[in-house]
């Protein structure tokens, strides 16, 4: 009896001790509070502001008191705005050309780097470097390389009788930005593909070797279906990134020459921060968001049931 009483008392003491050190719900909030405040201040509040301002006619110069509700007026104006549709067209060209080429070259580079090459780790680091280099350094470097008169690129192309004007030409400025986007993204794609290739099912390759399958047959039946989820992930993230591309355009071309590189992100910036039409710029942002969301859902939907593990 005395032993049972002592055990019960010890158990009760441990329970009370445990209750004493158990963190309350507020302790968890305190840990995540710094990040939570950042998300609220820099993501949630701006997002809600854009949703509200998209239905207003507000010029920043008029102050907060100048905000007037105009319903769907901004969206009607967007539908009739030739500058908006021109920017959408340039953005589509930029995305449709740069994203598939980046993925294809990244896949080829990933497959090459997956082989037992000498210095493979160094090569992986070298190809990944462009993705993490500061955008200002990238822009300045390509400005020198693509200088129409003294740039290294034109000195090489001059051998073939080609001398593009690059950023000084309304015809070559967008292709130059596409080249830079591909150069910056190929290393990132190759690294993601490299990780996926190392998780590919080895037993299927061994079975294919026993059956005498060719390299192309193994790629078509095993490698590509196993890489499909990775490809969709890359397509979605690159499409979102390309549609938001702003830094290099603002740094190098400022939307020019003329409006040759005024993509939708730079057009939105001009509308909001150069002409101070925050209501109209918010409506452009909302329309762009819906467009990118639809494109992303379509891309995701197109691959369902085609991956190796589906």
């Amino acid at each position: 009896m005395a032993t049972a009483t002592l055990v019960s008392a010890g158990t009760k003491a441990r329970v009370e001790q445990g209750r004493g050190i158990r963190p309350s719900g507020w302790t968890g909030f305190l840990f995540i509070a710094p990040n939570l405040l950042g998300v609220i201040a820099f993501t949630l509040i701006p997002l809600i502001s854009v949703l509200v301002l998209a239905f207003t006619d507000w010029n920043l110069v008029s102050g907060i008191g100048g905000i007037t509700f105009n319903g769907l007026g901004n969206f009607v104006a967007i539908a009739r705005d030739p500058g908006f549709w021109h920017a959408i067209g340039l953005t589509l060209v930029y995305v449709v050309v740069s994203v598939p080429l980046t993925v294809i070259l990244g896949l080829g580079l990933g497959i090459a780097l997956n082989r037992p090459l000498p210095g493979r780790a160094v090569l992986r680091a070298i190809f990944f470097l462009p993705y993490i280099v500061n955008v200002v350094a990238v822009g300045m470097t390509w400005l020198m390389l693509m200088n129409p008169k003294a740039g290294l690129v034109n000195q090489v192309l001059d051998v073939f009788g080609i001398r593009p004007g690059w950023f000084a030409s309304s015809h070559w400025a967008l292709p130059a930005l596409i080249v830079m986007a591909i150069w910056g993204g190929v290393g990132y794609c190759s690294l993601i593909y490299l990780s996926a290739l190392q998780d590919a099912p080895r037993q299927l390759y061994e079975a294919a070797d026993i059956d005498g399958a060719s390299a192309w047959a193994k790629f078509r039946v095993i490698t590509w279906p196993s890489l499909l989820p990775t490809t969709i992930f890359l397509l979605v993230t690159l499409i979102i990134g390309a549609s938001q591309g702003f830094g290099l355009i603002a740094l190098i071309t400022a939307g020019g020459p003329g409006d040759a590189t005024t993509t939708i992100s730079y057009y939105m910036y001009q509308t909001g921060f150069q002409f101070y039409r925050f209501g109209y710029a918010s409506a452009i942002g909302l329309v762009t968001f819906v467009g990118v969301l639809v494109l992303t859902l379509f891309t995701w939907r197109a691959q369902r049931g085609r991956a190796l593990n589906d």
Side-chain angles (χ1 to χ4, degrees), residues 102 127 129-131 133 138 141-142 178-187:
T102 303
F127 284 115
L129 270 179
Y131 185 72
V133 174
V138 170
T141 303
W142 279 100
I178 290 173
V179 169
M180 294 171 62
I182 294 172
W183 174 81
V186 166

Side-chain angles (χ1 to χ4, degrees), residues 4 13 20 28 40 57 91 108 113 115 119 159 161 164 173 175 185 204 211 224 257-258 275 285 304:
I40 292 173
D57 182 16
T91 305
L113 292 176
R115 298 179 179 278
V159 176
L204 294 183
D211 291 340
W224 177 246
F275 305 127
R304 288 186 64 184

Side-chain angles (χ1 to χ4, degrees), residues 3-21:
T3 305
T5 303
L6 287 173
V7 171
S8 176
T11 304
K12 185 177 179 181
R14 285 195 295 272
V15 169
E16 290 179 349
Q17 187 179 7
R19 285 176 180 170
I21 64 173

Side-chain angles (χ1 to χ4, degrees), residues 22 34 36 47 54 59 84 134 153 174 220 244 269 290 295:
R22 182 179 298 172
L36 186 61
L47 184 62
N59 191 310
F84 171 80
N134 184 278
V153 175
L174 189 62
R220 184 171 55 84
Q244 296 175 342
Y269 162 76
V290 173
L295 189 59

Side-chain angles (χ1 to χ4, degrees), residues 49-51 53-54 75 268 277-287:
S49 300
V50 166
L51 289 175
L53 290 175
F75 299 98
M268 189 163 43
R277 299 176 62 193
F278 270 51
Y280 192 62
S282 298
I284 293 174
L286 191 57
V287 171

Side-chain angles (χ1 to χ4, degrees), residues 7-279:
V7 171
S8 176
T11 304
K12 185 177 179 181
R14 285 195 295 272
V15 169
E16 290 179 349
Q17 187 179 7
R19 285 176 180 170
I21 64 173
R22 182 179 298 172
S24 66
W26 290 107
T27 306
F29 276 109
L30 288 177
F31 277 110
I32 65 172
N35 281 340
L36 186 61
L37 290 175
V39 169
I40 292 173
F42 299 110
T43 301
L44 188 60
I45 292 177
L47 184 62
I48 295 173
S49 300
V50 166
L51 289 175
V52 174
L53 290 175
F55 298 92
T56 66
D57 182 16
W58 182 38
N59 191 310
L60 183 65
V61 178
S62 63
I64 299 295
I67 298 177
T68 55
F69 181 73
N70 69 346
L72 298 176
N74 287 331
F75 299 98
V76 174
I78 286 174
R80 299 170 179 171
D81 183 358
F84 171 80
W85 293 111
H86 175 75
I88 286 290
L90 291 179
T91 305
L92 286 176
V93 171
Y94 183 74
V95 171
V96 169
V97 176
S98 67
V99 170
L101 286 177
T102 303
V103 171
I104 292 171
L105 293 175
L107 174 61
L109 185 60
I111 292 174
L113 292 176
N114 195 39
R115 298 179 179 278
L117 300 172
R120 185 171 58 174
V122 176
L123 288 175
R124 290 174 181 174
I126 290 173
F127 284 115
F128 187 66
L129 270 179
Y131 185 72
I132 58 175
V133 174
N134 184 278
V135 66
V136 176
V138 170
M140 293 296 105
T141 303
W142 279 100
L143 267 177
M144 290 188 287
L145 288 173
M146 290 184 168
N147 186 292
K149 293 182 178 178
L152 179 62
V153 175
N154 271 17
Q155 290 183 24
V156 174
L157 292 177
D158 195 34
V159 176
F160 305 98
I162 305 172
R163 291 193 67 85
W166 297 122
F167 302 113
S169 165
S170 58
H171 299 293
W172 284 98
L174 189 62
L177 290 173
I178 290 173
V179 169
M180 294 171 62
I182 294 172
W183 174 81
V186 166
Y188 166 74
C189 289
S190 69
L191 202 68
I192 301 296
Y193 271 128
L194 196 57
S195 173
L197 284 168
Q198 292 175 356
D199 288 335
R202 296 292 107 191
Q203 66 275 18
L204 294 183
Y205 286 107
E206 292 169 2
D209 288 335
I210 294 173
D211 291 340
S214 65
W216 169 246
K218 286 189 284 188
F219 175 82
R220 184 171 55 84
V221 178
I222 303 173
T223 306
W224 177 246
S226 67
L227 293 179
L228 194 54
T230 303
T231 303
I232 297 302
F233 165 76
L234 288 172
L235 283 175
V236 169
T237 53
L238 289 177
I239 287 172
I240 294 172
S243 65
Q244 296 175 342
F246 175 78
L248 287 174
I249 296 173
L251 176 68
I252 298 176
T253 66
D259 56 359
T261 57
T262 305
T263 58
I264 191 62
S265 57
Y266 195 78
Y267 186 68
M268 189 163 43
Y269 162 76
Q270 282 183 321
T271 305
F273 292 95
Q274 292 184 358
F275 305 127
Y276 303 116
R277 299 176 62 193
F278 270 51

